[in-house]
């Protein structure tokens, strides 16, 4: 009886997956011939257009890292900035991703904006910013972000939710009392890209993939990829 119930539940789940529609709307046109020589302006334009199209939290992204043994991890976090140096994000250097980056300073980012059928993949080398720049990054964020940073212990084992509640309450009180309170392990990271791929979905599956990659002289080369 249990086996039959499990099979039915599994088949129901498969039916759900098959019933879900993808890009059941009009998608924007992307002409790769008009793309700039540097991928950053195009990325910034696409993020802005995703926000204007109503994509919730378009600045959220997936960050993939690997530990010393090559075991990958992926998680979702926020983009803090992009500039000539690269893509900026922050975390505790004692967290899993911080520890991964300490031993393997290469990472990949993934952005997906379903409302416009677009995704962006970024891959490159990550460096930690200075302590001063990391503090300045945290100071620009919300009281809640500061409170979360002050709680610390990210990725460590948690004995109970009551322990988290107590630590969070204390952190919120301190964040309100000391809006410039330091979180010593909070670190700003910058990913310097060596590859950026911009993907424009197409309802007929003729997706446009434009790949930028660094050349030996540091400039960008571009090529189209089969979808």
């Amino acid at each position: 009886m249990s086996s039959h119930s499990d099979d039915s539940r599994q088949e129901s789940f498969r039916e759900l997956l098959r019933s879900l529609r993808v890009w059941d709307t009009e998608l924007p046109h992307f002409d790769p011939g008009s793309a700039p020589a540097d991928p950053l302006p195009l990325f910034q334009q696409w993020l802005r257009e995703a926000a204007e199209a109503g994509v919730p939290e378009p600045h959220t992204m997936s960050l993939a890292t690997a530990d010393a043994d090559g075991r990958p991890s992926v998680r979702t976090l926020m983009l803090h900035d992009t500039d000539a140096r690269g893509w900026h994000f922050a975390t505790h250097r004692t967290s899993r991703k911080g520890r991964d980056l300490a031993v393997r300073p290469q990472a990949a980012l993934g952005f997906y904006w379903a409302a416009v059928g677009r995704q962006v993949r970024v891959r490159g080398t990550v460096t930690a910013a200075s302590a001063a720049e990391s503090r300045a990054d945290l100071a620009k964020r919300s009281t809640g972000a500061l409170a979360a940073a002050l709680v610390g212990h990210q990725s460590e084992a948690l004995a109970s939710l009551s322990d988290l509640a107590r630590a969070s309450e204390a952190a919120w009180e301190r964040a309100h009392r000391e809006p410039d309170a330091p979180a010593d392990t909070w670190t700003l990271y910058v990913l310097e890209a060596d590859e950026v791929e911009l993907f424009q979905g197409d309802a007929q599956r003729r997706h446009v993939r434009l790949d930028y990659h660094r050349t030996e002289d540091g400039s960008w080369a571009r090529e189209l990829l089969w979808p």
Side-chain angles (χ1 to χ4, degrees):
M1 186 71 172
S2 176
S3 176
H4 177 73
S5 176
D6 289 345
D7 289 345
S8 297
R9 185 164 51 247
Q10 186 62 36
E11 182 56 32
S12 175
F13 182 72
R14 292 191 186 104
E15 290 177 359
L16 170 65
L17 292 178
R18 289 192 290 266
S19 71
L20 298 175
R21 310 313 305 158
V22 177
W23 303 328
D24 196 12
T25 184
E26 185 175 349
L27 298 176
H29 173 72
F30 172 48
D31 175 14
S34 65
D38 186 312
L40 183 59
L42 184 55
F43 169 81
Q44 293 176 336
Q45 176 189 333
W46 276 25
L47 192 149
R48 187 177 294 108
E49 290 174 353
E52 293 169 351
V55 175
E57 302 178 359
H59 59 318
T60 56
M61 61 187 186
S62 298
L63 167 68
T65 59
D67 65 14
D69 297 321
R71 294 176 298 182
S73 293
V74 66
R75 71 287 285 168
T76 301
L77 70 168
M78 288 191 298
L79 177 71
H80 287 204
D81 195 7
T82 57
D83 58 21
R85 291 185 296 165
W87 279 250
H88 300 218
F89 61 92
T91 187
H92 292 279
R93 61 176 177 271
T94 52
S95 67
R96 176 179 291 182
K97 49 191 173 294
R99 297 194 303 270
D100 284 356
L101 292 170
V103 295
R104 286 179 181 262
Q106 290 81 36
L109 307 176
F111 296 83
Y112 178 54
W113 304 308
V116 288
R118 287 172 172 171
Q119 59 178 300
V120 179
R121 298 169 54 247
V122 185
R123 183 172 63 178
T125 301
V126 179
T127 56
S130 67
E133 193 172 5
S134 297
R135 286 194 299 271
D137 172 77
L138 185 57
K140 297 173 186 174
R141 305 192 68 205
S142 66
T143 301
L146 173 59
L150 291 173
V151 169
H153 303 293
Q154 192 174 60
S155 303
E156 296 178 16
L158 175 65
S160 69
L161 291 179
S162 59
D163 288 348
L164 172 60
R166 283 191 295 271
S168 177
E169 183 177 356
W172 272 92
E173 290 177 357
R174 186 181 178 194
H176 283 297
R177 188 175 65 252
E178 301 178 53
D180 58 349
D184 293 338
T185 59
W186 185 258
T187 304
L188 179 69
Y189 292 92
V190 182
L191 185 150
E192 181 182 7
D194 55 45
E195 182 180 13
V196 181
E197 182 195 322
L198 296 104
F199 172 108
Q200 173 64 69
D202 179 85
Q204 294 183 302
R205 302 304 191 265
R206 293 195 287 261
H207 315 310
V208 178
R209 296 175 61 188
L210 179 62
D211 186 73
Y212 288 81
H213 50 274
R214 291 282 189 186
T215 63
E216 291 185 0
D217 65 4
S219 62
W220 289 102
R222 291 176 293 175
E223 65 180 347
L224 293 173
L225 302 177
W226 281 86

